[in-house]
């Protein structure tokens, strides 16, 4: 795995937190922002790790907003083209 580190001295909670945060990072890298946000939120919800991922969560939400806006723009343009083709045919 790409995230091999010396984990011998870590508590089970720390291991779980790191695993969830790394999964979020992996999904973010391949631009699956919804899954990245999911794993970041799971990691953040663990007791003792409260605000450690706020920057990553904010960046991921921003990327999701931009992605959603792009998809809606494409759908609106496609709908307008379909209507125009239908009207002029």
């Amino acid at each position: 795995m790409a995230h091999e580190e010396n984990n011998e001295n870590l508590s089970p909670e720390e291991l779980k937190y790191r695993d969830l945060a790394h999964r979020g990072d992996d999904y973010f890298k391949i631009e699956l922002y919804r899954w990245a946000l999911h794993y970041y939120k799971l990691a953040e919800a663990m007791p003792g790790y409260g605000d450690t991922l706020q920057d990553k969560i904010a960046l991921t939400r921003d990327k999701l907003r931009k992605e959603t806006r792009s998809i809606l723009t494409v759908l609106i343009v496609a709908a307008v083209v379909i209507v125009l083709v239908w009207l002029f045919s």
Side-chain angles (χ1 to χ4, degrees):
M1 181 171 257
H3 301 294
E4 292 184 29
E5 300 170 0
N6 187 4
N7 295 328
E8 296 172 359
N9 300 326
L10 299 177
S11 68
E13 293 81 20
E14 177 71 19
L15 289 172
K16 184 175 179 182
Y17 169 79
R18 285 187 178 196
D19 180 54
L20 292 171
H22 285 300
R23 286 181 191 213
D25 292 341
D26 290 341
Y27 280 114
F28 188 88
K29 287 176 189 172
I30 59 174
E31 298 179 1
L32 294 174
Y33 301 121
R34 291 185 197 285
W35 282 104
L37 184 62
H38 171 74
Y39 282 106
Y40 288 149
K41 284 184 173 183
L42 286 176
E44 183 189 40
M46 292 185 64
Y49 298 99
D51 297 330
T52 56
L53 294 172
Q54 285 301 316
D55 292 337
K56 288 183 179 185
I57 289 172
L59 179 61
T60 306
R61 283 186 173 148
D62 184 51
K63 295 278 189 181
L64 270 171
R65 269 188 235 105
K66 288 179 182 177
E67 182 180 81
T68 302
R69 194 176 309 129
S70 298
I71 290 170
L72 288 175
T73 302
V74 168
L75 287 175
I76 290 169
V77 168
V80 168
V81 169
I82 289 170
V83 167
L84 288 174
V85 167
W86 180 71
L87 287 175
F88 292 113
S89 63

